Amino acid sequence: MSTLQVKVSDIASVTETVKQFTLVAANDEPLPPFSGGSHIVVAMNINGRTHRNAYSLMSSTGNTESYQIGVRKQDQSRGGSVYMHEQVKVGDVLEVTYPVNLFAINKMARKHVLVAGGIGITPFLSQISDLNRLGYDYELHYAYRSEEHAAFKDYIEDLCGDKATFYIESEGARIDMTELLSQKPLGTHVYICGPEPMVNALHLTADSLGWPSNHIHSEQFSAPPMGDPFSVSLSESGITLEVPGELSLLEALEAAGVDAPFLCRGGACGRCEIEVEACDGVLQHYDHYLSDAEKMAGNKVMTCVSRAKCNQLVLKL
Ligand code: FES
């Protein structure tokens, strides 16, 4: 995948656990333009291994001077967000992918309802700059744990005015999905990014109210879970490699020099799908892309998040 070299020009603490990084092109040229909802993948060298995490671009979509990303420190993670918080300094040069958009607004929609939980607010910040510029009708519903976790609230108030509603969970406020999805004009599209239970609740409510599934858009990037080590053979290239417990299948392929495809690295887009030729155990599917029937069939695996509990996995690669 094509990459860019960017320099960290500013780091700001937004809340106790969220930092905002401003990135400019290392060669001082303008950065590639992007549309609202785009993300980039940041490469990090952690203990001699390359980790890659996807982060939504939050900056205004007309801005090619700099990109901004928001990173929440996740102590339970495999180290990417901790590395960003503790190791990355102003002036550092990072390798990032070109922006990719898997969460674009539907320009045919009559109204846009944006629903964010916690750090899931970040993709909406660039989407809102598109919606404001285009003069589209929208509303934002943003839920967070407590006032201390209200990342980017002042900025959102400036950006959205009375189109934004805030829900502070510690004060008992919750988004009522039924109310949210009721009495919206025909042709409304809903977009959600947040914790899995929140995303699932919205999908279930939309189903029960008869919303067309193609009017509900979610961005759900999962971190690759750790697991047992296993061995992989690639039938086309003849390579055999070990996937350690702390690396994803995709990371192990990359570490072995295999040019494996990816876009989101979070189990959402389907780009990393590889055909499974044999597995002497069970595939552990952690993606949001394959249907239940496809997961049961066991013919495909999303290498970015899924793995196998087996001795030997054979992939058509
Ligand atoms: S890279 Fe998107 S699902 Fe794996």
Side-chain angles (χ1 to χ4, degrees), residues 67-91:
Y67 292 157
Q68 285 171 332
I69 56 174
V71 179
R72 181 160 74 97
K73 187 175 175 186
Q74 311 209 35
D75 289 326
Q76 304 306 318
S77 82
R78 301 169 319 136
S81 67
V82 173
Y83 178 86
M84 289 295 290
H85 271 249
E86 294 180 0
Q87 304 295 324
V88 174
K89 305 279 180 284
V90 170

PDB file of all heavy atoms in Angstrom, residues 67-91:
ATOM      1  N   TYR A  67      -2.936  16.894   8.836  1.00  0.00           N
ATOM      2  CA  TYR A  67      -3.959  15.934   9.260  1.00  0.00           C
ATOM      3  C   TYR A  67      -3.987  15.966  10.784  1.00  0.00           C
ATOM      4  O   TYR A  67      -2.960  16.170  11.424  1.00  0.00           O
ATOM      5  CB  TYR A  67      -3.583  14.509   8.849  1.00  0.00           C
ATOM      6  CG  TYR A  67      -3.588  14.183   7.384  1.00  0.00           C
ATOM      7  CD1 TYR A  67      -2.820  13.108   6.914  1.00  0.00           C
ATOM      8  CD2 TYR A  67      -4.352  14.891   6.461  1.00  0.00           C
ATOM      9  CE1 TYR A  67      -2.818  12.767   5.571  1.00  0.00           C
ATOM     10  CE2 TYR A  67      -4.351  14.550   5.121  1.00  0.00           C
ATOM     11  CZ  TYR A  67      -3.575  13.489   4.674  1.00  0.00           C
ATOM     12  OH  TYR A  67      -3.574  13.153   3.346  1.00  0.00           O
ATOM     13  N   GLN A  68      -5.171  15.691  11.345  1.00  0.00           N
ATOM     14  CA  GLN A  68      -5.239  15.529  12.793  1.00  0.00           C
ATOM     15  C   GLN A  68      -5.900  14.195  13.112  1.00  0.00           C
ATOM     16  O   GLN A  68      -6.874  13.805  12.445  1.00  0.00           O
ATOM     17  CB  GLN A  68      -6.039  16.664  13.422  1.00  0.00           C
ATOM     18  CG  GLN A  68      -5.223  17.939  13.441  1.00  0.00           C
ATOM     19  CD  GLN A  68      -6.009  19.149  13.846  1.00  0.00           C
ATOM     20  OE1 GLN A  68      -7.209  19.206  13.636  1.00  0.00           O
ATOM     21  NE2 GLN A  68      -5.331  20.117  14.415  1.00  0.00           N
ATOM     22  N   ILE A  69      -5.339  13.505  14.082  1.00  0.00           N
ATOM     23  CA  ILE A  69      -5.935  12.247  14.543  1.00  0.00           C
ATOM     24  C   ILE A  69      -6.078  12.320  16.062  1.00  0.00           C
ATOM     25  O   ILE A  69      -5.306  13.013  16.738  1.00  0.00           O
ATOM     26  CB  ILE A  69      -5.087  11.010  14.157  1.00  0.00           C
ATOM     27  CG1 ILE A  69      -3.647  11.126  14.683  1.00  0.00           C
ATOM     28  CG2 ILE A  69      -5.091  10.802  12.648  1.00  0.00           C
ATOM     29  CD1 ILE A  69      -2.802   9.865  14.469  1.00  0.00           C
ATOM     30  N   GLY A  70      -7.060  11.611  16.595  1.00  0.00           N
ATOM     31  CA  GLY A  70      -7.248  11.529  18.046  1.00  0.00           C
ATOM     32  C   GLY A  70      -6.965  10.093  18.479  1.00  0.00           C
ATOM     33  O   GLY A  70      -7.490   9.158  17.892  1.00  0.00           O
ATOM     34  N   VAL A  71      -6.127   9.945  19.494  1.00  0.00           N
ATOM     35  CA  VAL A  71      -5.735   8.595  19.934  1.00  0.00           C
ATOM     36  C   VAL A  71      -6.111   8.420  21.393  1.00  0.00           C
ATOM     37  O   VAL A  71      -5.660   9.184  22.260  1.00  0.00           O
ATOM     38  CB  VAL A  71      -4.217   8.381  19.757  1.00  0.00           C
ATOM     39  CG1 VAL A  71      -3.811   6.986  20.238  1.00  0.00           C
ATOM     40  CG2 VAL A  71      -3.810   8.584  18.300  1.00  0.00           C
ATOM     41  N   ARG A  72      -6.935   7.419  21.666  1.00  0.00           N
ATOM     42  CA  ARG A  72      -7.256   7.109  23.069  1.00  0.00           C
ATOM     43  C   ARG A  72      -6.288   6.053  23.567  1.00  0.00           C
ATOM     44  O   ARG A  72      -6.075   5.029  22.903  1.00  0.00           O
ATOM     45  CB  ARG A  72      -8.685   6.568  23.200  1.00  0.00           C
ATOM     46  CG  ARG A  72      -9.017   6.271  24.672  1.00  0.00           C
ATOM     47  CD  ARG A  72     -10.493   6.208  24.893  1.00  0.00           C
ATOM     48  NE  ARG A  72     -11.066   4.989  24.362  1.00  0.00           N
ATOM     49  CZ  ARG A  72     -11.325   3.903  25.089  1.00  0.00           C
ATOM     50  NH1 ARG A  72     -11.072   3.880  26.375  1.00  0.00           N
ATOM     51  NH2 ARG A  72     -11.857   2.846  24.530  1.00  0.00           N
ATOM     52  N   LYS A  73      -5.693   6.314  24.714  1.00  0.00           N
ATOM     53  CA  LYS A  73      -4.732   5.358  25.287  1.00  0.00           C
ATOM     54  C   LYS A  73      -5.495   4.184  25.860  1.00  0.00           C
ATOM     55  O   LYS A  73      -6.367   4.360  26.719  1.00  0.00           O
ATOM     56  CB  LYS A  73      -3.934   6.068  26.385  1.00  0.00           C
ATOM     57  CG  LYS A  73      -2.799   5.255  26.938  1.00  0.00           C
ATOM     58  CD  LYS A  73      -2.027   6.128  27.909  1.00  0.00           C
ATOM     59  CE  LYS A  73      -0.937   5.376  28.599  1.00  0.00           C
ATOM     60  NZ  LYS A  73      -0.305   6.197  29.622  1.00  0.00           N
ATOM     61  N   GLN A  74      -5.185   3.015  25.339  1.00  0.00           N
ATOM     62  CA  GLN A  74      -5.879   1.809  25.791  1.00  0.00           C
ATOM     63  C   GLN A  74      -4.854   0.906  26.455  1.00  0.00           C
ATOM     64  O   GLN A  74      -4.090   0.246  25.765  1.00  0.00           O
ATOM     65  CB  GLN A  74      -6.514   1.104  24.589  1.00  0.00           C
ATOM     66  CG  GLN A  74      -7.296   2.082  23.743  1.00  0.00           C
ATOM     67  CD  GLN A  74      -8.459   1.439  23.023  1.00  0.00           C
ATOM     68  OE1 GLN A  74      -9.087   0.552  23.538  1.00  0.00           O
ATOM     69  NE2 GLN A  74      -8.735   1.911  21.832  1.00  0.00           N
ATOM     70  N   ASP A  75      -4.865   0.891  27.780  1.00  0.00           N
ATOM     71  CA  ASP A  75      -3.841   0.139  28.511  1.00  0.00           C
ATOM     72  C   ASP A  75      -3.919  -1.355  28.241  1.00  0.00           C
ATOM     73  O   ASP A  75      -2.941  -2.066  28.373  1.00  0.00           O
ATOM     74  CB  ASP A  75      -3.949   0.429  30.010  1.00  0.00           C
ATOM     75  CG  ASP A  75      -3.496   1.856  30.308  1.00  0.00           C
ATOM     76  OD1 ASP A  75      -2.579   2.334  29.614  1.00  0.00           O
ATOM     77  OD2 ASP A  75      -4.094   2.484  31.194  1.00  0.00           O
ATOM     78  N   GLN A  76      -5.115  -1.832  27.851  1.00  0.00           N
ATOM     79  CA  GLN A  76      -5.261  -3.276  27.596  1.00  0.00           C
ATOM     80  C   GLN A  76      -4.830  -3.636  26.168  1.00  0.00           C
ATOM     81  O   GLN A  76      -4.910  -4.771  25.769  1.00  0.00           O
ATOM     82  CB  GLN A  76      -6.728  -3.704  27.766  1.00  0.00           C
ATOM     83  CG  GLN A  76      -7.345  -3.386  29.111  1.00  0.00           C
ATOM     84  CD  GLN A  76      -6.536  -3.925  30.257  1.00  0.00           C
ATOM     85  OE1 GLN A  76      -6.046  -5.045  30.190  1.00  0.00           O
ATOM     86  NE2 GLN A  76      -6.335  -3.124  31.290  1.00  0.00           N
ATOM     87  N   SER A  77      -4.402  -2.638  25.397  1.00  0.00           N
ATOM     88  CA  SER A  77      -4.110  -2.921  23.995  1.00  0.00           C
ATOM     89  C   SER A  77      -2.736  -3.571  23.858  1.00  0.00           C
ATOM     90  O   SER A  77      -2.008  -3.718  24.834  1.00  0.00           O
ATOM     91  CB  SER A  77      -4.144  -1.637  23.179  1.00  0.00           C
ATOM     92  OG  SER A  77      -2.913  -0.966  23.309  1.00  0.00           O
ATOM     93  N   ARG A  78      -2.368  -3.919  22.621  1.00  0.00           N
ATOM     94  CA  ARG A  78      -1.088  -4.569  22.396  1.00  0.00           C
ATOM     95  C   ARG A  78       0.049  -3.556  22.298  1.00  0.00           C
ATOM     96  O   ARG A  78       1.156  -3.886  21.960  1.00  0.00           O
ATOM     97  CB  ARG A  78      -1.155  -5.425  21.140  1.00  0.00           C
ATOM     98  CG  ARG A  78      -2.244  -6.493  21.253  1.00  0.00           C
ATOM     99  CD  ARG A  78      -2.493  -7.163  19.934  1.00  0.00           C
ATOM    100  NE  ARG A  78      -2.487  -6.182  18.886  1.00  0.00           N
ATOM    101  CZ  ARG A  78      -1.859  -6.352  17.720  1.00  0.00           C
ATOM    102  NH1 ARG A  78      -1.194  -7.444  17.497  1.00  0.00           N
ATOM    103  NH2 ARG A  78      -1.905  -5.415  16.802  1.00  0.00           N
ATOM    104  N   GLY A  79      -0.245  -2.285  22.552  1.00  0.00           N
ATOM    105  CA  GLY A  79       0.857  -1.333  22.660  1.00  0.00           C
ATOM    106  C   GLY A  79       0.800  -0.158  21.716  1.00  0.00           C
ATOM    107  O   GLY A  79       1.509   0.826  21.917  1.00  0.00           O
ATOM    108  N   GLY A  80      -0.025  -0.213  20.650  1.00  0.00           N
ATOM    109  CA  GLY A  80      -0.031   0.863  19.656  1.00  0.00           C
ATOM    110  C   GLY A  80      -0.414   2.206  20.236  1.00  0.00           C
ATOM    111  O   GLY A  80       0.283   3.207  20.055  1.00  0.00           O
ATOM    112  N   SER A  81      -1.527   2.247  20.979  1.00  0.00           N
ATOM    113  CA  SER A  81      -1.980   3.543  21.511  1.00  0.00           C
ATOM    114  C   SER A  81      -1.056   4.011  22.631  1.00  0.00           C
ATOM    115  O   SER A  81      -0.810   5.212  22.792  1.00  0.00           O
ATOM    116  CB  SER A  81      -3.431   3.446  21.995  1.00  0.00           C
ATOM    117  OG  SER A  81      -3.522   2.607  23.114  1.00  0.00           O
ATOM    118  N   VAL A  82      -0.521   3.073  23.402  1.00  0.00           N
ATOM    119  CA  VAL A  82       0.417   3.447  24.470  1.00  0.00           C
ATOM    120  C   VAL A  82       1.686   4.030  23.841  1.00  0.00           C
ATOM    121  O   VAL A  82       2.232   5.044  24.295  1.00  0.00           O
ATOM    122  CB  VAL A  82       0.750   2.220  25.357  1.00  0.00           C
ATOM    123  CG1 VAL A  82       1.850   2.551  26.354  1.00  0.00           C
ATOM    124  CG2 VAL A  82      -0.510   1.746  26.076  1.00  0.00           C
ATOM    125  N   TYR A  83       2.128   3.418  22.750  1.00  0.00           N
ATOM    126  CA  TYR A  83       3.306   3.924  22.031  1.00  0.00           C
ATOM    127  C   TYR A  83       3.046   5.355  21.544  1.00  0.00           C
ATOM    128  O   TYR A  83       3.885   6.243  21.708  1.00  0.00           O
ATOM    129  CB  TYR A  83       3.610   3.001  20.850  1.00  0.00           C
ATOM    130  CG  TYR A  83       4.781   3.441  20.011  1.00  0.00           C
ATOM    131  CD1 TYR A  83       6.085   3.065  20.352  1.00  0.00           C
ATOM    132  CD2 TYR A  83       4.591   4.235  18.879  1.00  0.00           C
ATOM    133  CE1 TYR A  83       7.166   3.476  19.587  1.00  0.00           C
ATOM    134  CE2 TYR A  83       5.664   4.652  18.116  1.00  0.00           C
ATOM    135  CZ  TYR A  83       6.947   4.268  18.473  1.00  0.00           C
ATOM    136  OH  TYR A  83       8.013   4.680  17.709  1.00  0.00           O
ATOM    137  N   MET A  84       1.866   5.578  20.945  1.00  0.00           N
ATOM    138  CA  MET A  84       1.542   6.921  20.446  1.00  0.00           C
ATOM    139  C   MET A  84       1.564   7.926  21.602  1.00  0.00           C
ATOM    140  O   MET A  84       2.067   9.036  21.467  1.00  0.00           O
ATOM    141  CB  MET A  84       0.165   6.933  19.767  1.00  0.00           C
ATOM    142  CG  MET A  84       0.094   6.219  18.433  1.00  0.00           C
ATOM    143  SD  MET A  84       1.091   6.967  17.131  1.00  0.00           S
ATOM    144  CE  MET A  84       0.217   8.489  16.782  1.00  0.00           C
ATOM    145  N   HIS A  85       1.014   7.533  22.739  1.00  0.00           N
ATOM    146  CA  HIS A  85       0.936   8.461  23.875  1.00  0.00           C
ATOM    147  C   HIS A  85       2.293   8.693  24.540  1.00  0.00           C
ATOM    148  O   HIS A  85       2.589   9.808  24.953  1.00  0.00           O
ATOM    149  CB  HIS A  85      -0.042   7.917  24.927  1.00  0.00           C
ATOM    150  CG  HIS A  85      -1.458   8.369  24.702  1.00  0.00           C
ATOM    151  ND1 HIS A  85      -2.103   9.242  25.543  1.00  0.00           N
ATOM    152  CD2 HIS A  85      -2.330   8.088  23.713  1.00  0.00           C
ATOM    153  CE1 HIS A  85      -3.328   9.475  25.081  1.00  0.00           C
ATOM    154  NE2 HIS A  85      -3.494   8.772  23.982  1.00  0.00           N
ATOM    155  N   GLU A  86       3.092   7.630  24.643  1.00  0.00           N
ATOM    156  CA  GLU A  86       4.286   7.746  25.489  1.00  0.00           C
ATOM    157  C   GLU A  86       5.582   7.914  24.717  1.00  0.00           C
ATOM    158  O   GLU A  86       6.559   8.424  25.272  1.00  0.00           O
ATOM    159  CB  GLU A  86       4.376   6.510  26.404  1.00  0.00           C
ATOM    160  CG  GLU A  86       3.216   6.483  27.395  1.00  0.00           C
ATOM    161  CD  GLU A  86       3.249   5.278  28.323  1.00  0.00           C
ATOM    162  OE1 GLU A  86       4.183   4.455  28.203  1.00  0.00           O
ATOM    163  OE2 GLU A  86       2.314   5.177  29.143  1.00  0.00           O
ATOM    164  N   GLN A  87       5.621   7.464  23.469  1.00  0.00           N
ATOM    165  CA  GLN A  87       6.898   7.494  22.740  1.00  0.00           C
ATOM    166  C   GLN A  87       6.963   8.562  21.658  1.00  0.00           C
ATOM    167  O   GLN A  87       8.027   9.078  21.361  1.00  0.00           O
ATOM    168  CB  GLN A  87       7.158   6.123  22.081  1.00  0.00           C
ATOM    169  CG  GLN A  87       7.140   4.949  23.037  1.00  0.00           C
ATOM    170  CD  GLN A  87       8.271   5.024  24.046  1.00  0.00           C
ATOM    171  OE1 GLN A  87       9.365   5.462  23.739  1.00  0.00           O
ATOM    172  NE2 GLN A  87       7.992   4.637  25.278  1.00  0.00           N
ATOM    173  N   VAL A  88       5.825   8.849  21.030  1.00  0.00           N
ATOM    174  CA  VAL A  88       5.850   9.769  19.886  1.00  0.00           C
ATOM    175  C   VAL A  88       5.970  11.208  20.388  1.00  0.00           C
ATOM    176  O   VAL A  88       5.266  11.622  21.310  1.00  0.00           O
ATOM    177  CB  VAL A  88       4.582   9.582  19.017  1.00  0.00           C
ATOM    178  CG1 VAL A  88       4.513  10.627  17.915  1.00  0.00           C
ATOM    179  CG2 VAL A  88       4.583   8.179  18.404  1.00  0.00           C
ATOM    180  N   LYS A  89       6.902  11.941  19.792  1.00  0.00           N
ATOM    181  CA  LYS A  89       7.186  13.320  20.217  1.00  0.00           C
ATOM    182  C   LYS A  89       7.033  14.259  19.018  1.00  0.00           C
ATOM    183  O   LYS A  89       7.130  13.824  17.866  1.00  0.00           O
ATOM    184  CB  LYS A  89       8.636  13.436  20.730  1.00  0.00           C
ATOM    185  CG  LYS A  89       8.981  12.461  21.841  1.00  0.00           C
ATOM    186  CD  LYS A  89       8.492  12.970  23.189  1.00  0.00           C
ATOM    187  CE  LYS A  89       8.819  12.024  24.324  1.00  0.00           C
ATOM    188  NZ  LYS A  89       7.991  10.842  24.434  1.00  0.00           N
ATOM    189  N   VAL A  90       6.852  15.559  19.324  1.00  0.00           N
ATOM    190  CA  VAL A  90       6.816  16.572  18.259  1.00  0.00           C
ATOM    191  C   VAL A  90       8.147  16.507  17.491  1.00  0.00           C
ATOM    192  O   VAL A  90       9.213  16.418  18.093  1.00  0.00           O
ATOM    193  CB  VAL A  90       6.590  17.981  18.856  1.00  0.00           C
ATOM    194  CG1 VAL A  90       6.795  19.062  17.796  1.00  0.00           C
ATOM    195  CG2 VAL A  90       5.183  18.082  19.437  1.00  0.00           C
ATOM    196  N   GLY A  91       8.061  16.518  16.170  1.00  0.00           N
ATOM    197  CA  GLY A  91       9.264  16.442  15.324  1.00  0.00           C
ATOM    198  C   GLY A  91       9.523  15.037  14.793  1.00  0.00           C
ATOM    199  O   GLY A  91      10.273  14.871  13.832  1.00  0.00           O
TER     200      GLY A  91
END
